[in-house]
Structures are given as structure tokens and as C-alpha cells.
Amino acid sequence: MLEGVEKIFEEMQPMMKKLKKASYEKNMLAFREKHSHYFWEMTDYMNQAEDKEKTAKEIAVSFVDKVEKNYARKGKIGGRIQADLNFFMIYYTFPAILLTGSEYAKMIADALCGEWGARFKDSKIGYTDYDTLYKGFRDKILGIF
């Protein structure tokens, strides 16, 4: 399940650099175009499952396992990389899951958010939808960069 999903983070640095309203919109479109099949795989798996809670947890564990395997060095992910991964999850991954419009998108996002926070140090993150984030921009992300 979710083979190669860690590839969604490959362009993390350029997608987070100098993030402004226009670049966020452009980046999200490109991100979804390139990686939406992972999010559809998640929702399709949920559609076929009988035990939705258990299936959402399986998706979350599989996702986090692959990210951890790809980014951990000597069993740990460095603080800077972890911070980047956290922000990328908040700005791109969770909104992309919610943008599928699946009735199970929030359940998947909740499970993923919980697993992420439990597995990674200092990573008790939250999430919101794309429109809320997009509206939070002025010209620059929340007016701070």
C-alpha cells in the first residue's frame, strides 16, 4: 500500500521556500497533479473497507512507516528535517487529502495526524483545508515571510 509515497516530499525545499499566496496556489496544483494518485489510493482503500477506523489507521501507519524509513538516520530524523516535514504535511499533504472530497478524507487525515504526532518527536501537528490556508495568505504566508 502507498508504494513510493515518500516521493511526495522530494521537492519539499523549493515548495516551501518564499511561500506566497500565488506560489502556494501554483505549488499545490503541481503537487496534486503529480501525487494525487496516492490520495486517491487512500480513499479507494477506505471505500472498500468494512472497518473504516482500522483501515484509516492502517493507511496512517503505512504512510508514516515509509516517511520514517526514507528520512531517519540511525533511527532518528534530524530536527530541521522533521520541522520541514511537519510544515509540508500541514501545507500540502493534509489539504491534498481533504481536496479529494472523499467522505473519508477527514477520517484519513485524523488518523494520519495522530500517527504522525505519536511517532515523531515534537510533531504534534494539526491540519486544515486548502481554502483556509489559502485565505490566510496576504501576499506572504500569514504575513511573516
Side-chain angles (χ1 to χ4, degrees):
M1 178 185 349
L2 301 174
E3 289 306 313
V5 75
E6 66 280 359
K7 293 176 184 168
I8 69 171
F9 298 97
E10 285 179 343
E11 296 181 27
M12 177 170 55
Q13 297 304 327
M15 289 175 68
M16 295 299 292
K17 191 174 185 177
K18 297 182 182 177
L19 199 55
K20 296 181 181 179
K21 192 170 195 167
S23 63
Y24 179 60
E25 181 177 27
K26 180 182 161 204
N27 290 347
M28 180 58 91
L29 286 171
F31 177 74
R32 290 180 65 214
E33 187 176 297
K34 186 172 182 179
H35 301 294
S36 65
H37 62 283
Y38 294 116
F39 309 119
W40 289 114
E41 182 181 346
M42 293 175 188
T43 60
D44 288 346
Y45 193 60
M46 288 292 289
N47 286 334
Q48 298 170 17
E50 288 188 32
D51 186 340
K52 304 299 185 192
E53 294 288 331
K54 180 182 175 193
T55 302
K57 176 73 172 169
E58 286 175 21
I59 291 168
V61 167
S62 178
F63 183 97
V64 174
D65 282 349
K66 287 172 177 53
V67 173
E68 186 173 39
K69 182 179 178 184
N70 194 61
Y71 287 95
R73 301 295 173 253
K74 297 181 182 177
K76 295 183 180 183
I77 297 177
R80 178 69 185 146
I81 293 171
Q82 187 63 63
D84 289 346
L85 291 168
N86 292 348
F87 280 116
F88 196 84
M89 290 291 291
I90 293 165
Y91 285 110
Y92 292 100
T93 307
F94 289 122
I97 291 169
L98 297 174
L99 282 168
T100 65
S102 168
E103 65 182 295
Y104 304 113
K106 186 172 177 350
M107 187 180 291
I108 294 166
D110 286 342
L112 185 53
C113 192
E115 184 68 18
W116 191 269
R119 295 268 290 276
F120 299 131
K121 184 180 176 185
D122 299 324
S123 296
K124 300 273 188 223
I125 59 175
Y127 67 89
T128 192
D129 61 85
Y130 172 79
D131 290 331
T132 301
L133 282 170
Y134 185 76
K135 289 174 188 171
F137 284 92
R138 290 189 184 121
D139 179 40
K140 300 178 181 177
I141 185 87
L142 306 175
I144 51 179
F145 293 145

